[in-house]
Amino acid sequence: MISPLRILAALLSVIVVGTPIAAFAFFLMAIIGDPGTCASGERTITVSPEAAASFQAKWDELDASLDAGQAASTTVTEDEATSRARAWLEERDAPISEALLCFSADGGSASAKVDVPFFPGDVDVLVRGTLLLTGEQPQAQIDDIEMGGMPGFMTEIAERFINRVIDNQTDDLALEHDYGLAFDEGEATVGGQP
């Protein structure tokens, strides 16, 4: 006959040994797993200072037209958006590297390596969604997120962390106008009314 003390000891040993093993397994899934990038397949995104400058020039021209009271729009490529996003992330010393922005008729997506504080390495993240460019600051609307090789139920934690990172990075980014955003293959069109 098994005593209650022996059952309690067995349960405690499972908790004491099992919890660190499970935590280590989730850690390995996050670090080793790879959800891929939004640019996987035949899509190639080229990052350059010239593309970042082109994005900024188009954005400045759009704002100048809106400031002058004229409705306007501009179209940016994945190269331009990715290049400008990387430059902006570097300027802000954000915990994100190797960011890629991808556009398709279905919407936008982004992939990057994220430095998660409680992990000793970067975690590959793939996010699908859009940016809302109305109001005082941009707001990320995440439809789907994949983080390393973590199972779906664990991505809720990642989604909260990613949303916090995005919110922290956009706190100082003020929108001068309300903008609309439309996607097509390899490009996005931003438009606004004065």
Side-chain angles (χ1 to χ4, degrees):
M1 185 160 159
I2 300 176
S3 72
L5 187 57
R6 191 169 239 182
I7 292 172
L8 182 60
L11 284 174
L12 282 175
S13 65
V14 166
I15 291 171
V16 169
V17 173
T19 301
I21 290 173
F24 183 70
F26 283 126
F27 163 76
L28 284 178
M29 284 189 285
I31 297 296
I32 296 172
D34 183 5
T37 70
C38 65
S40 55
E42 294 180 20
R43 178 177 254 131
T44 302
I45 296 176
T46 304
V47 178
S48 70
E50 296 79 20
S54 175
F55 176 95
Q56 192 62 53
K58 288 179 179 182
W59 190 268
D60 292 343
E61 187 177 315
L62 172 67
D63 272 344
S65 294
L66 295 173
D67 289 343
Q70 301 168 341
S73 66
T74 190
T75 301
V76 297
T77 65
E78 293 170 328
D79 293 350
E80 292 168 328
T82 296
S83 296
R84 183 61 187 115
R86 284 193 184 184
W88 187 78
L89 290 168
E90 286 177 21
E91 291 164 9
R92 298 189 51 85
D93 197 27
I96 301 169
S97 61
E98 298 179 35
L100 296 173
L101 300 179
C102 302
F103 309 131
S104 71
D106 296 330
S109 59
S111 56
K113 292 188 177 296
V114 178
D115 182 14
V116 180
F118 49 88
F119 283 61
D122 293 340
V123 177
D124 293 324
V125 176
L126 177 61
V127 178
R128 291 175 190 83
T130 192
L131 278 177
L132 302 176
L133 300 173
T134 57
E136 294 180 14
Q137 297 167 314
Q139 298 292 316
Q141 181 177 357
I142 296 176
D143 298 327
D144 183 42
I145 186 169
E146 296 176 42
M147 182 175 175
M150 294 181 81
F153 69 90
M154 291 294 293
T155 59
E156 285 184 33
I157 296 166
E159 187 172 338
R160 284 194 299 268
F161 175 76
I162 297 298
N163 272 325
R164 232 177 297 127
V165 168
I166 292 169
D167 289 343
N168 288 342
Q169 296 304 315
T170 59
D171 275 349
D172 298 330
L173 187 60
L175 294 174
E176 295 181 31
H177 304 280
D178 286 343
Y179 306 93
L181 189 57
F183 296 102
D184 205 349
E185 284 304 316
E187 60 187 28
T189 300
V190 182
Q193 298 290 325

